[in-house]
Amino acid sequence: MNTFYTKLLVICLVFVTISLKAQDKTEVFNENEFALRHNFNNSYSVNFELSNRAFLYTNNDILYKMRQVEFSHFSAFNLNLRHSIALGVMFRNRDMFEDSSNEIRVTQQYNRKSLFKTIRFGHRLRSEQRFYDNYTAFRFRYRLAIDIPLQGLKLDVGETYVLITNEGLLTSAKINKPELEYRISPSIGILLSEDLNLEFGIELRLDKLNLKTEESIFLNTSVELKI
């Protein structure tokens, strides 16, 4: 494994761990995601995802308590090798597990990819309309992702990679003040086969940066299967 890439991942993990220890009110969640993806041709693909989120640590208690399940769909259209657009819809169920509103979300997305030597960069812009029981929120997101293979110049079956994402978010709704949010997530992934990918990651979320900052930690697992 390249020493520089290893140090970069360790720095990100230390940053997230220190943040967790520094705040007693930090909540910790576990999130698991399973995705099915199908490419109809070089221009059009679809993605279906099923995920769940559970509390691991909240109110100074260690526990495992389900918070939500959600199902989402994205249709992506490749404009060329580097640029794509996508439309998505998601349903999130929370009232099954707690006294909270469910959510229907509609998403519009633009994505741009570029390559520098062995490092792949991904720029993603999203606009979202989030429909709750009593109000609608509008959210705008920009994410920069850095994807680095850990063996060789490109990712082959059986090899691992590092993925680091940085994302800024702005949410606006009539009943609430605008909110700024920042997320950073280092992950380790492995390409198990040409059609199966597995990732493990840790994510730090800083919510309400312009109001009263709230921190949360996510331990994430994702599986993507191409069919």
Side-chain angles (χ1 to χ4, degrees), residues 192-208:
L192 296 175
S193 72
E194 291 289 348
D195 300 319
L196 184 60
N197 191 70
L198 178 63
E199 284 184 8
F200 301 95
I202 184 169
E203 181 178 44
L204 170 65
R205 295 188 179 185
L206 303 176
D207 299 332
K208 302 181 180 179

Side-chain angles (χ1 to χ4, degrees), residues 150-200:
L150 295 180
Q151 296 95 14
L153 299 178
K154 65 181 184 68
L155 186 65
D156 296 313
V157 173
E159 296 183 346
T160 56
Y161 61 91
V162 170
L163 175 65
I164 301 173
T165 63
N166 290 270
E167 186 170 26
L169 304 92
L170 170 64
T171 302
S172 177
K174 284 186 176 181
I175 66 171
N176 298 318
K177 294 182 178 179
E179 297 178 3
L180 294 174
E181 182 180 348
Y182 172 71
R183 300 176 182 180
I184 181 171
S185 176
S187 303
I188 288 287
I190 180 170
L191 185 64
L192 296 175
S193 72
E194 291 289 348
D195 300 319
L196 184 60
N197 191 70
L198 178 63
E199 284 184 8
F200 301 95

